[in-house]
Amino acid sequence: MDVIARFCKIYTDICQISPDDLEDIYASDITFIDPITVHNGIDEVKSYFSNLLTQAETCKFDIANIFQCSVQNNQSQSEVTHVINWTMTLVLKNKTKKITLDGTTQLGVADDIIIYHKDYYDLGEMVYEHVPILGFIIKKIKGKLAK
């Protein structure tokens, strides 16, 4: 099983893995970027996922598409080799509301291990719209912009 297949398997339901399982897909010097922050190194990524696991009941990814990009021979740390489109379904502990959002991940793979991971998704849709008052304001703004 190559690293992309292992990635898809792990992301089927993040809550069913151990943070140590991330070592099967991510390099020790992984650069992991999401709309909130940047994590450098496998220990920071494992800590990030440990925190997620304490807060989430389920966190499942439905992978829609995987695109492989052409790469040069002199691959840099942030060169993208794969683009993955997904839909995430997240249920936090002590909450009954499901959060569902679409996103895209760029991956850089070298020697069958992920060295670069960058997520793109609407942070407002994931977080801000679920905060009382702030969520109401953001939805109103989106509604006005859509006209």
Side-chain angles (χ1 to χ4, degrees), residues 7 31 36 42 54 56 72 84 93-94 103 113 118 123 126:
F7 174 89
T31 300
I36 300 169
I42 191 67
T54 64
Q72 307 298 323
I84 300 174
K93 291 180 179 173
N94 303 321
I113 198 83
K118 186 169 185 180
L123 189 59
M126 181 176 180

Side-chain angles (χ1 to χ4, degrees), residues 104-124:
T104 297
T105 297
Q106 294 179 338
L107 297 176
V109 174
D111 299 322
D112 201 41
I113 198 83
I114 299 168
I115 59 172
Y116 177 79
H117 176 132
K118 186 169 185 180
D119 287 331
Y120 294 90
Y121 55 83
D122 183 343
L123 189 59

